[in-house]
Amino acid sequence: VNGPGNTTLIKLVTRLYDPAGGQVPLDGVDLLEYDLATLHQRFGVIFQDYVRYQFTVRENIGFGQVDALDDLDRIQDAAQRGGACPVIEELPHGYDTMPGRRWEKGQELSGGQWQKIALARAFMRKAEVLVLDEPTSALDAEAEYEVFRRFGELMEGRIAVLISHRFSTVRMADRIAVLSEGKIVELGSHSALIALDGNYARLFNLQAEGYRSVSYTHLRAHETPEHLVCRLLLEKKNTTTQITTTQIYPPCQNPRYIQLTTPQITQYI
């Protein structure tokens, strides 16, 4: 749910904020009684408003664990975990590339590329708890799928806290908390919350409705599936349609789509 205090809650749990009243206990002990530096070492965090540092890619990732800035092997491992390696390999100077246009030889990155760099930064810290606030909001469906395909393996033996409005991300969690007006109103697994038929189920079905596959029964005479999708885009510009296809028909070039690799779903946005 938008605006229920998700990010504020996480900042309290990681003690980036101290509560104005009450307490946040960890193992029955108030967080305020823990050494702050030691506590922060136990968390790795990436927020949706992550910082785009005007430093090299190596430093952008390494800032996740400042005392390991000179450890290139660790930085490369973090980049691999965060899915940033393909981005870095395409940059003119690799890890020494200066992202952004502030500098004369800077290389501008897309929002999705910056997000992968930020994800890699979170993996720099060998933390017990990894907190990801909308970690794939700037990634397309294919990149998001690749990140979470390996996520369980990457987080083995550790705790991950995900904040997301994408149900493709949310449903993979072992335990899902639905917040509304600053309170947890539902708690359970994806299947349990769907069976509960409450807020979670309603929002899940609303989001899923926009991704129903197009039926071939909508095809007009001599119309290819590609033509069908483009026609629907023109007729319903504010909807999201998806269809399994092998290619985009050339006359249907349209900036509203993202083409994924065959035989994955081609998602039109």
Side-chain angles (χ1 to χ4, degrees), residues 9 14 20 41 72 79 84 100 102 117 122 124 136 148 202 210-211 269:
L9 176 61
T14 55
Q41 283 299 314
L72 183 57
R102 177 172 296 182
I117 298 296
M124 269 296 290
T136 58
F148 288 110
R202 178 179 60 82
Y211 290 89
I269 300 178

Side-chain angles (χ1 to χ4, degrees), residues 63-240:
F63 285 153
Q65 187 65 49
V66 177
D67 58 8
L69 266 174
D70 295 327
D71 190 342
L72 183 57
D73 288 340
R74 183 165 173 177
I75 291 172
Q76 290 174 331
D77 179 65
Q80 179 67 37
R81 289 171 176 265
C85 281
V87 174
I88 297 169
E89 289 169 359
E90 294 179 358
L91 296 176
H93 304 292
Y95 287 89
D96 294 320
T97 300
M98 189 75 72
R101 290 296 187 185
R102 177 172 296 182
W103 309 107
E104 182 179 350
K105 295 183 179 180
Q107 179 74 28
E108 191 59 71
L109 303 182
S110 69
Q113 290 173 322
W114 269 113
Q115 194 154 47
K116 290 178 181 179
I117 298 296
L119 274 170
R121 186 188 308 149
F123 280 114
M124 269 296 290
R125 184 164 297 180
K126 297 177 180 178
E128 298 171 46
V129 181
L130 184 61
V131 180
L132 304 176
D133 185 358
E134 298 287 1
T136 58
S137 59
L139 302 184
D140 60 42
E142 184 178 25
E144 180 190 46
Y145 169 79
E146 182 59 27
V147 167
F148 288 110
R149 183 182 66 81
R150 300 182 297 113
F151 198 72
E153 175 186 341
L154 295 175
M155 293 306 299
E156 185 175 359
R158 294 192 284 175
I159 297 171
V161 179
L162 304 176
I163 299 175
S164 181
H165 293 86
R166 285 190 181 184
F167 284 92
S168 56
T169 300
V170 171
R171 66 183 301 169
M172 66 173 285
D174 299 307
R175 203 175 188 193
I176 301 167
V178 182
L179 272 67
S180 180
E181 298 181 357
K183 297 179 181 180
I184 295 177
V185 294
E186 294 175 18
L187 185 65
S189 65
H190 170 76
S191 57
L193 294 181
I194 289 294
L196 183 63
D197 197 26
N199 287 341
Y200 179 88
R202 178 179 60 82
L203 293 171
F204 176 84
N205 288 320
L206 280 174
Q207 191 170 115
E209 186 61 34
Y211 290 89
R212 303 300 185 195
S213 295
V214 176
S215 170
Y216 279 18
T217 59
H218 291 97
L219 286 173
R220 294 174 178 172
H222 309 297
E223 186 175 47
T224 66
E226 295 79 19
H227 278 117
L228 166 63
V229 172
C230 290
R231 175 168 58 79
L232 291 177
L233 277 172
L234 293 173
E235 293 174 356
K236 302 178 180 180
K237 291 185 174 61
N238 295 322
T239 64
T240 301

